[in-house]
Amino acid sequence: MMKNDIETRRDLERLLEEFYKIALKDEEIGHHFEDLDLESHLPIITDFWEKNLFGSPVYFGNPLAVHQKLNEKSPLLSEHFLRWVEIFSRTVDRHFAGERAENAKLRASAIARALFGRLNSQQITRG
């Protein structure tokens, strides 16, 4: 069966629902999602990806601030970001194929690198 590309907000919702089913139970990164209210988080993270992949002006949040709070509770290590990207990319590949699907994986990697870098440069300058 041929897979479609990521084309609609509903596709993003499906992708993110599947991603969180895996990530929440993952031994390496699941603990970072313990306090996550998925019902209220999913529309926000879907907005984030809709803005990133479709250019829709729907997300106005601050991902760094969100991850700073998570990092204070439990440090977000390089391997956690790598694992997040791995699960995200595998989830994309399982459900979608095409230019936007590839772009989603590239952006996930870039976002993970940027967040990790920003979190760690702040920790270093505080010390």
Side-chain angles (χ1 to χ4, degrees):
M1 185 176 105
M2 224 176 97
K3 291 181 239 177
N4 293 323
D5 202 354
I6 300 169
E7 294 168 6
T8 64
R9 182 176 176 91
R10 181 64 199 121
D11 290 339
L12 290 172
E13 289 168 349
R14 199 173 101 220
L15 168 64
L16 294 163
E17 286 164 8
E18 292 300 315
F19 165 78
Y20 281 107
K21 277 183 199 170
I22 299 162
L24 288 165
K25 295 179 187 141
D26 187 75
E27 282 185 27
E28 201 169 342
I29 64 170
H31 67 280
H32 289 293
F33 301 105
E34 282 173 358
D35 298 330
L36 182 66
D37 174 2
L38 204 54
E39 203 171 315
S40 64
H41 180 66
L42 269 175
I44 296 165
I45 196 72
T46 303
D47 286 349
F48 174 84
W49 283 103
E50 186 176 343
K51 180 179 180 179
N52 268 280
L53 296 179
F54 302 138
S56 306
V58 292
Y59 178 79
F60 305 99
N62 181 347
L64 181 60
V66 172
H67 289 82
Q68 283 169 327
K69 286 181 188 138
L70 286 174
N71 194 47
E72 285 166 17
K73 277 190 223 169
S74 176
L76 293 165
L77 306 176
S78 173
E79 54 265 29
H80 297 147
F81 283 101
L82 290 170
R83 182 69 178 145
W84 180 88
V85 170
E86 181 187 346
I87 294 168
F88 185 86
S89 295
R90 255 198 272 140
T91 307
V92 170
D93 287 341
R94 190 173 304 124
H95 297 282
F96 300 99
E99 193 175 324
R100 204 170 273 132
E102 292 304 310
N103 191 20
K105 295 185 293 183
L106 289 172
R107 285 180 184 248
S109 279
I111 290 162
R113 278 194 307 277
L115 283 173
F116 178 73
R118 297 279 300 277
L119 290 170
N120 286 287
S121 67
Q122 289 178 347
Q123 287 174 345
I124 292 164
T125 55
R126 267 192 225 144

